[in-house]
Amino acid sequence: MGLGSCMITFFGAFLSGFLFFLPISYSDKAPDYKFVKEATSAPAVVYYDYIIIGGGTAGCPLAATLSHGATILVLERGGSPYGNPNITNIANFGPTLLDTSPTSPAQQFTSEDGVHNIRARVLGGGSAVNAGFYTRASTRYVKEVGWNHNLVNQSYEWVEKVVAFKPEILQWENALRDGLLEVGVLPNNEFTYDHLYGTKVGGTIFDAEGHRHTAADLLQYADPRKITVYLHATVQKILFRYIPGRASPQAYGVIYKDAYEVRHQAYLKRNSNNNEIILSAGAIGSPQLLMLSGVGPAYHLRAHGIKVVVDHPMVGQGMADNPMNVLLIPSPIPVEVSLVQVVGITKFNSYIEGASGLSLSISLAHRLSTNFKRFLSQTEHPPFRVLPEAIARAAEMVHGIANRTIRAGVILEKIMGPLSTGHLALRNTNPDDNPFVTFNYFKEPEDLRKCIEGMRTIIDVVDSKAYSKFRYKNMPVEALIDLMLTLPVNRRRKHANATFSLEQFCIDTVMTIWHYHGGCQVGRVVDKGYRVLGIDSLRVIDGSTFYHTPGANPQATVMMLGRYMGQRIQHDRIVHGSKKKN
């Protein structure tokens, strides 16, 4: 990777608010999961009641729940989060996002919109590589989706006993909270997991010692006698067959490869008609694997030489990502190191969040310093106006990064929804490669309106009395905007009017907050029970089924969904088994 692409990749993650760390050195001991094994140890052929593809944020709680009453096989293409200090020790968070190796837990991809993103590749899924914010979906969301309210709450509580904690709020996060209240993001909801309009402190999956708790921790609920998890097991395709008397094809097995590229086969046992294959490979992996298995738009599959099992034109459609925009704010005083802890949930449907205390590896920081100075020295007339205050503070910030003494924070906004959607298409037939993904950020004017209002709220917070001690008095907000425009946050063109047009600023500096979803949506690809339409014995249970992101952060709801659907499936299995006996 060259310097330019390295810089772009770095800022795509860095300014998403995720290269923040707690000043600890903690290495977690792996739990005694004897059922978690390398796929290289797997037999050539195995048989299970349920085969779950993806041991991620939904797959782990789903597997743990279903193991009480059935045999479960989980196939996870990544490795274990335990014993990896870049995951378990938040102080080493940055290297994970910059790791471009084939076994990195964070597989990088760039959408066709020119925005950089991360796709989890590890047991625990996105919960192993994210910023850890934990918050529930709104009651309105639960009602619109059609979930059972009581079972949803029980499922959240089941998750929270293991992975959710109340964060310690220090000065910078306090200032952000007070600033939000000062500018009218009311009421003050204090600490709560619930989704409430106003300003609140949310939960975190980091405990008091800074130890990350992931969805993989929920496997402690599993019956160890009934579950097997294979790591570095990359599913190549789902197998289908036609049974006389049935109109639809039936999923009955999968082919997967281990770390040595050896092929293995896993099949559903024939002891029950309720046995199923469940896709929980995420919003990128699930539609991609459906297509690779012959389920998707027929014309697209044929173009890649894939035999069509079911012409499913909506597979890969409805892809969406919540656009995020940021102001980076150098501070005249030291700031604590904090993750996202406070959120302002506005009435105009934008979320305002923040984090503070930035850290980089020294080698990358020096390259950043060199690159930024080259940018300033080679351009007398940049494509946009750069105020002297921005140049001075940016130079100070870069010098601080190079010496690991930076004082800065970010305030970001993420719009609800979004309304704008795109699509996913195969790049090739290799399941290890990223597909083409287009999100169409701000295609719908309403999304852009929300971003503009969100940025105005951020500006008001930055100018608030509560936040004043973290502001340089001689550095106006215009300089902060100019500073953002000097940074290679994405691969999109910067326009001259972005310094004074919040509309253009939103478009030019858009980033991801990793909350992409869609591709296998309910009513389009799966039914309300998450069964794939037109196919027997196959479900999809993960964020690819969502139309909108639930709440300020989806991870709590994705984990809840795994537990929720595990209980629903388990209940149906018991009922059908009783009817068969009678």
Side-chain angles (χ1 to χ4, degrees):
M1 179 181 291
L3 175 60
S5 59
C6 181
M7 291 303 306
I8 292 172
T9 299
F10 164 71
F11 270 109
F14 172 64
L15 289 176
S16 294
F18 300 125
L19 292 191
F20 303 96
F21 73 102
L22 296 174
I24 61 171
S25 179
Y26 187 97
S27 180
D28 186 44
K29 182 181 179 181
D32 188 22
Y33 289 159
K34 290 184 171 59
F35 52 82
V36 177
K37 309 170 184 179
E38 285 292 330
T40 50
S41 68
V45 180
V46 293
Y47 295 86
Y48 285 83
D49 295 327
Y50 292 96
I51 299 170
I52 298 175
I53 303 171
T57 313
C60 286
L62 175 65
T65 302
L66 289 177
S67 69
H68 295 275
T71 58
I72 310 299
L73 174 64
V74 180
L75 299 173
E76 167 53 47
R77 70 190 185 113
S80 171
Y82 303 109
N84 182 342
N86 288 346
I87 294 175
T88 60
N89 183 359
I90 196 70
N92 296 327
F93 193 15
T96 300
L97 302 182
L98 296 170
D99 183 359
T100 60
S101 68
T103 59
S104 169
Q107 182 179 1
Q108 301 176 2
F109 74 94
T110 301
S111 73
E112 300 307 292
D113 314 274
V115 173
H116 305 288
N117 216 313
I118 295 294
R119 177 185 175 192
R121 180 171 49 192
V122 61
L123 188 68
S127 65
V129 296
N130 66 13
F133 194 58
Y134 184 96
T135 182
R136 296 183 178 189
S138 67
T139 54
R140 179 179 176 181
Y141 187 98
V142 171
K143 183 178 180 179
E144 288 178 348
V145 173
W147 293 328
N148 179 283
H149 180 76
N150 290 333
L151 185 56
V152 163
N153 286 341
Q154 292 169 15
S155 299
Y156 275 126
E157 291 167 3
W158 181 88
V159 170
E160 288 155 10
K161 288 177 182 178
V162 174
V163 305
F165 305 88
K166 180 180 179 179
E168 180 182 5
I169 304 300
L170 301 178
Q171 289 188 32
W172 196 91
E173 291 284 344
N174 263 320
L176 174 59
R177 178 184 59 189
D178 293 345
L180 285 166
L181 295 171
E182 183 180 327
V183 304
V185 185
L186 299 168
N188 182 0
N189 293 308
E190 303 293 347
F191 167 73
T192 179
Y193 294 143
D194 292 337
H195 181 97
L196 301 169
Y197 282 104
T199 297
K200 74 165 190 172
V201 175
T204 177
I205 62 173
F206 293 98
D207 63 24
E209 296 177 317
H211 168 212
R212 179 192 291 274
H213 293 257
T214 76
D217 290 15
L218 298 172
L219 290 172
Q220 66 187 262
Y221 283 121
D223 183 341
R225 300 166 300 175
K226 297 288 189 69
I227 185 172
T228 301
V229 178
Y230 285 132
L231 302 176
H232 299 113
T234 303
V235 174
Q236 307 297 297
K237 62 188 274 188
I238 301 167
L239 302 174
F240 300 97
R241 64 186 172 197
Y242 289 89
I243 298 177
R246 288 191 178 185
S248 302
Q250 180 189 45
Y252 74 99
V254 302
I255 296 173
Y256 66 97
K257 288 185 178 181
D258 63 26
Y260 297 147
E261 295 292 310
V262 175
R263 285 164 59 100
H264 301 258
Q265 297 168 18
Y267 297 105
L268 296 178
K269 291 181 180 179
R270 295 195 177 188
N271 61 344
S272 171
N273 291 329
N274 295 322
N275 293 349
E276 295 177 315
I277 294 171
I278 304 175
L279 256 175
S280 293
I284 306 298
S286 288
Q288 179 187 25
L289 191 54
L290 280 179
M291 290 184 187
L292 291 175
S293 304
V295 180
Y299 73 93
H300 182 57
L301 303 186
R302 293 190 183 106
H304 286 275
I306 298 171
K307 181 182 177 181
V308 178
V309 175
V310 175
D311 180 10
H312 231 309
M314 297 309 296
V315 172
Q317 299 301 306
M319 297 296 300
D321 185 24
N322 297 81
M324 180 187 72
N325 293 84
V326 172
L327 279 188
L328 176 63
I329 306 159
S331 171
I333 63 173
V335 296
E336 77 266 16
V337 180
S338 70
L339 294 160
V340 177
Q341 298 171 341
V342 172
V343 59
I345 303 176
T346 70
K347 292 294 180 62
F348 55 82
N349 294 331
S350 178
Y351 302 101
I352 312 298
E353 303 171 5
S356 63
L358 315 182
S359 176
L360 303 172
S361 69
I362 294 176
S363 61
L364 181 61
H366 279 293
R367 284 189 284 172
L368 168 60
S369 177
T370 302
N371 189 62
F372 188 82
K373 290 174 182 177
R374 184 184 302 119
F375 168 82
L376 293 178
S377 65
Q378 291 180 351
T379 311
E380 291 185 5
H381 303 286
F384 36 78
R385 176 175 54 102
V386 182
L387 296 178
E389 294 92 341
I391 295 175
R393 297 309 176 200
E396 179 179 324
M397 181 189 70
V398 167
H399 178 75
I401 291 174
N403 291 282
R404 299 178 67 93
T405 59
I406 185 170
R407 300 171 175 180
V410 296
I411 304 179
L412 60 92
E413 71 85 31
K414 160 198 157 181
I415 69 168
M416 293 187 191
L419 298 176
S420 303
T421 62
H423 61 279
L424 177 150
L426 295 177
R427 186 182 303 271
N428 53 41
T429 57
N430 185 350
D432 288 318
D433 289 348
N434 292 313
F436 295 111
V437 186
T438 303
F439 293 119
N440 288 326
Y441 297 101
F442 302 124
K443 179 181 179 182
E444 297 296 330
E446 179 65 12
D447 289 340
L448 189 56
R449 183 193 68 79
K450 293 174 186 176
C451 179
I452 293 169
E453 289 300 310
M455 289 306 303
R456 286 173 178 162
T457 302
I458 289 176
I459 290 170
D460 289 342
V461 171
V462 170
D463 286 335
S464 69
K465 180 180 179 181
Y467 197 76
S468 60
K469 67 180 181 180
F470 294 108
R471 283 288 312 284
Y472 281 100
K473 297 293 188 293
N474 62 343
M475 190 175 188
V477 170
E478 291 82 1
L480 300 178
I481 292 173
D482 285 340
L483 173 57
M484 287 303 305
L485 291 166
T486 66
L487 302 177
V489 297
N490 56 37
R491 291 186 178 179
R492 296 163 77 93
R493 179 190 170 197
K494 306 298 187 295
H495 294 78
N497 64 334
T499 57
F500 52 83
S501 167
L502 288 180
E503 176 179 350
Q504 195 64 55
F505 178 85
C506 285
I507 294 170
D508 288 0
T509 65
V510 65
M511 289 173 281
T512 183
I513 199 167
W514 295 0
H515 297 169
Y516 49 83
H517 50 279
C520 298
Q521 292 166 319
V522 174
R524 292 180 172 180
V525 177
V526 299
D527 65 16
K528 290 186 177 180
Y530 298 89
R531 302 174 189 88
V532 177
L533 298 169
I535 298 177
D536 294 335
S537 305
L538 180 63
R539 300 193 201 222
V540 179
I541 300 176
D542 58 26
S544 69
T545 63
F546 295 164
Y547 280 83
H548 305 293
T549 295
N553 188 297
Q555 76 165 338
T557 302
V558 176
M559 284 189 273
M560 180 281 295
L561 179 63
R563 169 64 174 174
Y564 178 93
M565 284 306 302
Q567 290 182 289
R568 293 286 297 269
I569 295 169
Q570 193 176 51
H571 174 267
D572 290 346
R573 186 182 187 92
I574 293 171
V575 170
H576 291 156
S578 298
K579 288 180 179 179
K580 187 175 181 181
K581 289 179 182 179
N582 294 334

